[in-house]
């Protein structure tokens, strides 16, 4: 019995220590930011904060919450996440059903699946895409955040694989009873697809909450930025300029605690949904990748 | 036409998705003609001068663009390699932990960074890795001189690759853990009867069982040889490290939207898309051949 041998026991202790250290390393940066955000300005500026707040203070959060642009960007992010996820779910759900059919039932399926797959492996690149957004007058509109990402082939594949796992008898019974395909989809498939729908919803929510580049690219007015884009311009771009350190830029650096608070608020929704998310995405990820 | 009578609901269901695909995926492909033009915004696609393959010739003549392709390859290949090896080893080690609660807690923590965006992590890392930041204070306490992780050409790639592994290794572990869970326990029982040590079991049962998954993940990663991670680089780099840190995607962004060289930027983008497409097609074919993997 190898469990009782001395070398295995020694290995086991080392292994546990190593993995525990590794896993703690994954959240140490977040703890550091949290500590900075709750510290007094002077301590944070002097870089004295480690993993525990120095001279506990809520000043940074008060300042952040009094910033109307920040609050508005949260609102835009929330709208975007809700609408974007809803649209993606609807389109994905509808498209996956016909694509999950056998070719013998739905002959055009092959043509459609090629349209999807080809769009996944080839694209026009940044510049032509930008030009199209300009041509269809989506620049500076809220919808530029929601519409372009609405169809995601990976999510369609995830969904259609789930549909294929549903026993054919259920669908046949519904069709014999006189239900059309739409009715079958919404009254039979919808209720039993909830685990899969939750997976797609969560992937889509995380995507929308985290997206920042489209806002930067297509919105010219900083007041319309979603939170992620706002954070990108305020925290990243400012920090880049502070590398050369002119007196004025030194002043910006003393924003450390406010920046930390903003970063933490930006991460908070993910941290909140994360525990609920976890049991779904493991399933979703293996569904999408491991197949016989 | 009889078949259309039966299948019209299918076509209706696919209509919204297809409209979106055409508008946001297929119409932009038409813009590729700009790669063969000396594009001027005020002349438009119809009015701009045709220059044939000049833009592509530039791509292979200009020193900055060649450097960018090279940077992309180095960063992407190193990321691919370590993002395969680290999760593989980590999954096997994690599998050795018999306490279910501890195993779950470790998983919860290591998956987390994957879900945070590079904006958030960039903000954290810029602060953490500054010359007077938390990281350099720790290094300083063991006598190491401050390192300018994000501003030094020699350190930037290292920082990018290590931080990417840090963010993704937990998440990439999931597929290997799923494969580990699928190993038939009777294999271990039988080998234990024969007196195999844990090390031997790992070598002769665990590792071989994971090989198909390594093949799938490895071959599918092939399509990403020109994707070095736009989000990460864009949020971490600065003019000090353009020389070794600039990649195709960030270069396209700057040449097109900051310098206004639309035609040239489109040509680089097209170069990247075509190479990527060829690699993806090859990798899918190989993944199917070696491991029976299909996407559709």
């Amino acid at each position: 019995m190898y469990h009782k041998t001395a070398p295995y026991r020694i290995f086991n202790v080392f292994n546990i220590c190593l993995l525990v250290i590794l896993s703690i390393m994954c959240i140490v940066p977040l703890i550091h930011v949290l500590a900075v955000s709750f510290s007094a300005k002077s301590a944070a500026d002097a870089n004295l904060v480690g993993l525990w707040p120095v001279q506990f203070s809520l000043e940074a959060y008060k300042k952040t919450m009094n910033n109307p642009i920040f609050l508005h960007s949260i609102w835009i992010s929330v709208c975007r996440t809700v609408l974007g996820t809803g649209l993606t779910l609807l389109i994905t759900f509808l498209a996956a059903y016909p694509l999950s059919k056998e070719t013998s039932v739905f002959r055009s399926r092959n043509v459609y699946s090629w349209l999807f797959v080809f769009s996944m492996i080839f694209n026009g690149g940044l510049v032509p895409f930008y030009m199209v957004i300009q041509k269809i007058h989506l620049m500076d509109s809220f919808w530029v955040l929601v519409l372009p990402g609405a169809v995601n082939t990976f999510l369609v594949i995830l969904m259609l694989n789930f549909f294929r796992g549903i026993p054919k008898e259920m669908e046949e019974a519904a069709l014999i009873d006189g239900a059309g395909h739409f009715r079958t989809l919404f009254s039979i498939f919808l209720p039993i697809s909830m685990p899969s729908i939750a997976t797609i919803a969560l992937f889509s929510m995380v995507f929308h909450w985290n997206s920042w580049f489209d806002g930067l690219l297509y919105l010219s007015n900083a007041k319309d930025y979603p939170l992620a884009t706002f954070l990108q311009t305020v925290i990243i771009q400012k920090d880049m300029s502070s590398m050369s350190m002119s007196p004025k830029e030194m002043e910006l650096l003393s924003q450390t605690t406010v920046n930390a608070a903003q970063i933490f608020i930006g991460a908070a929704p993910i941290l909140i949904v994360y525990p609920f998310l976890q049991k779904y995405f493991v399933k979703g990820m293996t569904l999408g990748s491991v197949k016989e | 036409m009889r078949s259309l009578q039966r299948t019209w609901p299918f076509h209706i269901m696919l209509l919204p998705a297809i409209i979106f695909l055409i508008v946001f995926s297929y119409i932009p492909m038409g813009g590729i003609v700009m790669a063969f033009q000396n594009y001027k915004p005020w002349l438009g696609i119809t009015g701009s001068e045709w220059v044939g393959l000049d833009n592509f010739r530039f791509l292979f003549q200009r020193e900055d663009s060649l450097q960018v392709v090279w940077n992309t390859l180095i960063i992407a290949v190193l990321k691919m390699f370590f993002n395969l090896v680290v999760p593989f080893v980590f999954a096997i080690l994690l599998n050795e932990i018999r306490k279910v609660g501890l195993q779950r807690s470790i998983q919860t923590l290591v998956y987390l960074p994957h879900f945070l965006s590079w904006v958030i992590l960039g903000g954290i890392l810029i602060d953490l890795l500054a010359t007077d930041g938390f990281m350099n204070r720790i290094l300083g306490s063991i006598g190491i001189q401050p390192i300018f992780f994000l501003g030094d050409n020699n350190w930037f790639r290292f920082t990018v690759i290590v931080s990417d592994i840090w963010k993704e290794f937990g998440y990439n572990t999931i597929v290997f853990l799923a494969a580990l869970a699928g190993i038939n326990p009777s294999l271990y029982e039988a080998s234990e009867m024969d007196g195999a040590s844990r090390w031997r079991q790992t070598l002769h049962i665990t590792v071989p069982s994971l090989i198909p998954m390594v093949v799938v993940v490895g071959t599918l990663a092939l399509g990403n040889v020109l994707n070095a991670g736009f989000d990460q680089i864009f949020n971490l780099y600065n003019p000090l490290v353009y020389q070794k840190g600039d990649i195709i995607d960030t270069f396209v962004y700057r040449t097109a939207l900051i310098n206004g060289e639309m035609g040239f930027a489109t040509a680089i983008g097209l170069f990247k898309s075509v190479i990527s497409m060829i690699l993806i097609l090859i990798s899918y074919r190989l993944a199917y051949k070696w491991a029976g993997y299909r996407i559709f």
Side-chain angles (χ1 to χ4, degrees):
Chain A
M1 296 297 264
Y2 67 84
H3 289 292
K4 294 190 178 127
T5 63
Y8 185 78
R9 281 190 180 162
I10 297 170
F11 160 78
N12 205 23
V13 172
F14 271 110
N15 188 32
I16 289 179
C17 292
L18 177 73
L19 298 194
V20 168
I21 292 171
L22 267 180
S23 56
I24 290 173
M25 268 169 52
C26 285
I27 53 160
V28 159
L30 266 178
I31 296 173
H32 173 70
V33 178
L34 192 62
V36 171
S37 72
F38 281 118
S39 296
K41 216 168 119 170
S42 54
D45 289 348
N47 249 316
L48 292 175
V49 186
L51 300 177
W52 198 253
V54 179
Q55 297 165 317
F56 186 87
S57 144
L58 287 171
E59 205 46 43
Y61 285 92
K62 276 186 204 146
K63 244 192 211 169
T64 307
M65 284 308 171
N66 284 328
N67 181 354
I69 302 180
F70 182 80
L71 295 181
H72 189 63
S73 72
I74 292 185
W75 169 241
I76 293 185
S77 275
V78 170
C79 291
R80 151 181 209 166
T81 305
V82 171
L83 282 170
T85 304
L87 188 66
T88 301
L89 277 182
L90 181 68
I91 291 179
T92 307
F93 187 67
L94 280 173
Y97 178 77
L99 290 177
S100 70
K101 297 279 164 274
E102 305 279 329
T103 315
S104 54
V105 180
F106 180 38
R107 211 173 336 133
S108 324
R109 191 194 90 99
N110 282 341
V111 179
Y112 284 115
S113 24
W114 264 107
L115 275 175
F116 277 89
V117 171
F118 190 71
S119 77
M120 190 167 69
I121 61 179
F122 186 77
N123 62 71
L126 177 71
V127 184
F129 193 81
Y130 183 87
M131 308 277 295
V132 169
I133 296 290
Q134 238 174 0
K135 279 270 147 48
I136 58 178
H137 301 291
L138 273 183
M139 296 296 272
D140 285 322
S141 140
F142 167 77
W143 295 103
V144 78
L145 305 175
V146 174
L147 299 180
V151 179
N152 181 331
T153 306
F154 279 108
L155 299 185
V156 175
I157 292 173
L158 210 78
M159 192 84 229
L160 80 87
N161 278 321
F162 183 84
F163 282 163
R164 281 188 186 154
I166 296 175
K168 281 201 178 59
E169 289 75 17
M170 292 190 81
E171 187 195 337
E172 280 162 12
L175 291 175
I176 287 169
D177 286 346
H181 282 292
F182 276 98
R183 214 189 139 100
T184 311
L185 180 59
F186 283 99
S187 337
I188 312 277
F189 277 47
L190 185 63
I192 48 177
S193 309
M194 278 308 158
S196 185
I197 288 177
T199 310
I200 290 169
L202 291 165
F203 275 118
S204 182
M205 276 157 64
V206 172
F207 165 79
H208 276 293
W209 187 262
N210 282 342
S211 290
W212 54 278
F213 187 57
D214 43 9
L216 189 69
L217 207 52
Y218 308 122
L219 304 176
S220 53
N221 192 343
K223 272 191 286 188
D224 301 330
Y225 281 170
L227 182 63
T229 312
F230 173 85
L231 291 178
Q232 210 277 334
T233 52
V234 169
I235 291 165
I236 311 275
Q237 294 186 16
K238 185 180 287 174
D239 244 301
M240 265 159 60
S241 66
S242 68
M243 294 222 163
S244 53
M245 299 278 187
S246 70
K248 209 183 144 212
E249 283 157 345
M250 288 292 276
E251 225 172 71
L252 292 177
L253 263 183
S254 65
Q255 274 233 321
T256 322
T257 56
V258 176
N259 281 354
Q262 290 177 334
I263 289 176
F264 193 74
I265 295 172
I270 304 270
L271 299 179
I272 293 166
V273 297
Y274 182 66
F276 306 100
L277 190 135
Q278 206 193 347
K279 74 172 174 200
Y280 287 116
F281 72 69
V282 173
K283 216 182 287 165
M285 169 119 172
T286 41
L287 232 161
S289 57
V290 191
K291 264 176 292 170
E292 77 281 16
Chain B
M1 276 304 98
R2 265 228 316 284
S3 81
L4 194 65
Q5 254 168 23
R6 268 188 300 120
T7 62
W8 67 265
F10 294 154
H11 294 278
I12 303 280
M13 286 172 182
L14 280 161
L15 190 63
I18 296 300
I19 290 174
F20 274 92
L21 280 185
I22 288 173
V23 174
F24 293 113
S25 193
Y26 287 96
I27 293 181
M29 287 181 201
I32 284 171
V33 295
M34 288 162 67
F36 306 96
Q37 292 182 327
N38 180 12
Y39 182 81
K40 298 273 182 273
W42 57 90
L43 296 174
I45 286 182
T46 43
S48 290
E49 176 203 355
W50 290 90
V51 294
L53 293 174
D54 275 7
N55 286 324
F56 293 93
R57 221 163 282 144
F58 282 144
L59 169 62
F60 292 104
Q61 278 166 1
R62 274 170 59 164
E63 246 172 62
D64 55 351
S65 49
L66 277 182
Q67 179 69 39
V68 158
V69 173
W70 186 232
N71 291 346
T72 310
L73 275 173
I74 292 182
I75 295 175
V77 168
L78 286 175
K79 275 186 180 177
M80 277 161 53
F81 177 74
F82 287 108
N83 277 329
L84 191 61
V85 173
V86 176
F88 177 76
V89 174
F90 184 76
I92 292 178
L93 291 180
L94 190 62
N95 198 44
E96 289 303 315
I97 292 187
R98 299 271 159 235
K99 299 188 184 81
V100 178
L102 182 64
Q103 200 187 32
R104 287 265 164 77
S105 316
I106 293 175
Q107 286 181 27
T108 305
L109 296 183
V110 296
Y111 296 162
L112 181 62
H114 170 81
F115 291 93
L116 300 170
S117 76
W118 275 114
V119 172
I120 301 280
L121 295 177
I124 298 177
L125 287 180
I126 288 171
D127 171 58
L128 218 57
L129 300 177
T131 36
D132 57 350
F134 188 53
M135 190 66 174
N136 273 314
R137 268 193 10 237
I138 296 176
L139 293 178
S141 67
I142 52 171
I144 295 174
Q145 291 294 310
I147 298 167
F148 200 1
F149 288 102
L150 294 170
D152 182 330
N153 266 311
N154 296 320
W155 279 101
F156 185 74
R157 277 182 195 160
F158 171 84
T159 313
V160 161
I161 290 160
V162 171
S163 58
D164 187 66
I165 298 167
W166 169 78
K167 184 179 192 277
E168 303 294 348
F169 83 92
Y171 191 73
N172 291 333
T173 302
I174 294 176
V175 287
F176 294 118
L177 287 177
L180 280 170
I183 300 176
N184 189 346
S186 60
L187 288 174
Y188 291 110
E189 283 156 21
S191 71
E192 212 164 322
M193 290 293 191
D194 295 343
S197 68
R198 192 61 187 165
W199 173 242
R200 297 230 117 191
Q201 292 184 344
T202 306
L203 217 57
H204 296 294
I205 301 174
T206 315
V207 173
S209 313
L210 286 183
I211 291 299
M213 192 46 83
V214 174
V215 171
V216 170
V217 177
T219 43
L220 293 186
L222 195 66
N224 280 322
V225 145
L226 293 180
N227 281 327
F230 175 81
D231 276 21
Q232 182 194 15
I233 306 273
F234 192 83
N235 285 307
L236 288 179
Y237 83 160
N238 57 74
L240 293 176
V241 289
Y242 279 174
Q243 197 203 336
K244 294 223 173 148
D246 206 7
I247 56 168
I248 294 176
D249 292 327
T250 49
F251 186 70
V252 168
Y253 171 80
R254 283 208 323 279
T255 27
L257 297 156
I258 314 268
N259 303 348
E261 298 173 73
M262 298 288 226
F264 182 56
T266 312
I268 309 170
L270 179 59
F271 167 75
K272 188 195 155 195
S273 299
V274 170
I275 304 276
S276 295
M277 182 179 73
I278 295 170
L279 289 174
I280 292 172
L281 290 176
I282 293 173
S283 67
Y284 277 7
R285 172 111 333 156
L286 290 181
Y288 180 67
K289 205 172 140 194
W290 289 340
Y293 176 91
R294 279 182 307 128
I295 50 162
F296 236 81

